[in-house]
């Protein structure tokens, strides 16, 4: 029986490598768009520009390195008749060392300057001509999101409504394990941590419904910690607030304690909430989550 050639014996491996290489391109059809690369607000646009700039700067290094790798493999491969000089004492090349140390240093310096500049740009919202900043207090719970509107005295579960073209200050805490609040089309993520109030300001340029989720592992049902951010015109937002105040039930302290217990809920609305409940959660007064964990431990 004739022996198969080396290429024939290795063909399945070449097919496997080729298939793995195609997987990232095939998976791009699973979603119509990459939300991070489709910004819908000023914060997301600044971060999008920084991402694109970083990719371009990285490619300045990656593309030549990969091209040189193939060149070196082909140019200096061992083959019959090659009479290349043998130089075992060759140790350095000052020009090459300056290139492979200098170029990365320049690129990292540029990225550092741009990152620091954009970070300080996003510390606070830009002046808005459409209205004052809207404050929304956000509490991550197991496994749901509570949104409280201190100025409007209403609350929602697993969705929030905001006015378009108006900056929104999200004040974030947790009454559960640490999580991360993320609306990809409006801006980067910010952690929610027990005993702390973190701030994140976002803005939507246009009315629409934007996907949000928890971006941190926080237990068994963490994958269900998704929420909607509904951006509306100022008139529609005001009408929504009035509808919730007139038709939704009130959120009592007993209801809040039940929310603190691990569960999965659909979207809910409340016409009011206990005054100071968010601040008490930040200060850990009442210890609702810790109280529940201690009860679990003693069962």
């Amino acid at each position: 029986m004739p022996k198969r050639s080396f290429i024939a014996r290795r063909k399945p491996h070449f097919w496997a490598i080729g298939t793995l290489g195609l997987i990232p391109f095939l998976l791009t059809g699973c979603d119509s768009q990459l939300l991070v690369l489709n910004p819908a607000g000023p914060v997301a646009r600044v971060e999008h520009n920084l991402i694109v700039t970083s990719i371009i700067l990285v490619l300045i290094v990656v593309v030549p390195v990969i091209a040189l790798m193939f060149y070196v493999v082909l140019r200096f491969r061992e083959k019959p008749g090659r009479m290349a000089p043998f130089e075992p004492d060759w140790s350095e090349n000052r020009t090459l060392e300056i290139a492979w140390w200098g170029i990365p240093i320049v690129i990292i310096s540029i990225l550092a300057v741009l990152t620091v500049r954009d970070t300080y740009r996003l510390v606070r919202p830009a002046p808005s001509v459409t209205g004052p900043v809207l404050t929304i207090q956000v509490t991550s719970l197991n496994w749901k999101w509570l949104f409280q509107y201190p100025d409007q005295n209403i609350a929602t579960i697993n969705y929030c409504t905001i006015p378009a073209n108006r900056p929104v200050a999200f004040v974030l805490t947790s009454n559960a394990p640490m999580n991360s609040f993320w609306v990809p089309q409006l801006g980067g993520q910010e952690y929610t941590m027990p005993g702390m109030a973190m701030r994140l300001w976002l803005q939507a340029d246009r009315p629409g419904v934007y996907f949000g989720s928890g971006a941190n592992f926080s237990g068994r049902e963490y994958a269900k910690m998704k929420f909607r951010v509904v951006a509306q015109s100022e008139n529609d937002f005001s009408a929504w607030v009035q509808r919730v105040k007139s038709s939704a039930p009130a959120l009592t302290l007993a209801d809040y304690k039940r929310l603190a217990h691990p569960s999965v809920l659909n979207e809910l609305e409340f016409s009011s909430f206990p005054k100071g409940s968010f601040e008490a959660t930040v200060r850990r007064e009442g210890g609702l989550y810790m109280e529940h964990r201690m009860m679990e431990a003693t069962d």
Side-chain angles (χ1 to χ4, degrees):
M1 182 176 179
K3 294 183 178 180
R4 293 183 297 171
S5 67
F6 173 79
I7 297 297
R9 293 197 304 271
R10 307 297 287 184
K11 181 181 289 187
H13 298 280
F14 291 137
W15 277 108
I17 294 173
T19 302
L20 289 174
L22 288 174
I23 286 177
F25 300 98
L26 295 175
L27 290 179
T28 57
C30 296
D31 193 0
S32 60
Q33 59 185 2
L34 295 173
L35 297 180
V36 175
L37 300 180
N38 186 29
V43 177
R45 277 196 302 276
V46 171
E47 295 172 350
H48 170 267
N49 294 338
L50 184 59
I51 291 172
V52 173
T53 303
S54 302
I55 292 173
I56 293 173
L57 292 174
V58 169
L59 289 178
I60 291 175
V61 173
V62 171
V63 172
V65 167
I66 293 177
L68 285 172
M69 180 189 70
F70 283 105
Y71 171 76
V72 170
V73 170
L74 294 174
R75 173 67 177 82
F76 299 102
R77 72 190 186 280
E78 179 64 25
K79 65 181 180 180
R82 176 173 293 282
M83 299 297 293
F86 179 59
E87 299 180 3
D89 296 328
W90 185 90
S91 62
E92 65 181 34
N93 184 303
R94 189 61 57 84
T95 302
L96 290 177
E97 288 184 0
I98 292 174
W100 63 53
W101 283 106
I103 295 175
I105 289 174
V106 171
I107 290 175
I108 292 173
S109 300
I110 295 173
L111 285 175
V113 171
L114 294 178
T115 301
V116 171
R117 182 200 66 182
D118 291 345
T119 299
Y120 278 96
R121 284 176 61 188
L122 300 179
V123 168
R124 58 181 60 84
S128 173
V129 297
T130 57
V133 175
L134 172 68
T135 300
I136 300 179
Q137 299 167 334
V138 183
T139 305
S140 62
L141 302 161
N142 271 342
W143 290 278
K144 61 197 79 75
W145 292 93
L146 171 63
F147 298 90
Q148 296 171 273
Y149 295 72
D151 296 331
Q152 291 75 23
N153 194 32
I154 60 174
T156 59
I157 294 288
N158 291 335
Y159 93 98
C160 69
T161 299
I162 63 173
N165 293 309
R166 180 175 165 190
V168 180
F170 291 94
V171 187
L172 311 165
T173 193
S174 176
N175 200 6
M178 183 176 74
N179 212 302
S180 185
F181 179 87
W182 190 28
V183 188
Q185 286 186 269
L186 300 185
Q189 57 182 306
E190 182 65 74
Y191 285 108
T192 64
M193 293 181 279
M196 296 187 67
M198 310 295 289
R199 289 185 175 271
L200 174 70
W201 79 271
L202 301 175
Q203 181 176 321
D205 286 339
R206 56 185 181 272
V209 179
Y210 303 100
F211 170 81
S213 72
N216 206 58
F217 294 108
S218 60
R220 185 179 67 249
E221 302 291 348
Y222 78 94
K224 297 181 180 177
M225 290 194 66
K226 297 179 173 60
F227 59 90
R228 296 185 305 138
V229 177
V230 183
Q232 298 179 336
S233 66
E234 284 287 347
N235 291 336
D236 290 340
F237 174 75
S238 299
W240 172 79
V241 171
Q242 294 304 316
R243 180 187 64 79
V244 172
K245 292 180 73 70
S246 61
S247 61
L251 176 66
T252 65
L253 185 58
D255 294 330
Y256 184 84
K257 288 185 177 181
R258 282 192 291 269
L259 288 176
H261 287 240
S263 63
V264 177
L265 296 176
N266 295 321
E267 295 180 354
L268 298 173
E269 301 171 344
F270 301 98
S271 59
S272 63
F273 58 86
K275 185 177 180 180
S277 57
F278 179 84
E279 292 75 12
T281 299
V282 174
R283 293 192 300 268
R284 311 303 295 154
E285 292 180 2
L288 301 179
Y289 170 69
M290 297 305 297
E291 174 185 293
H292 171 69
R293 298 301 293 174
M294 293 174 63
M295 291 174 59
E296 278 188 337
T298 57
D299 287 344

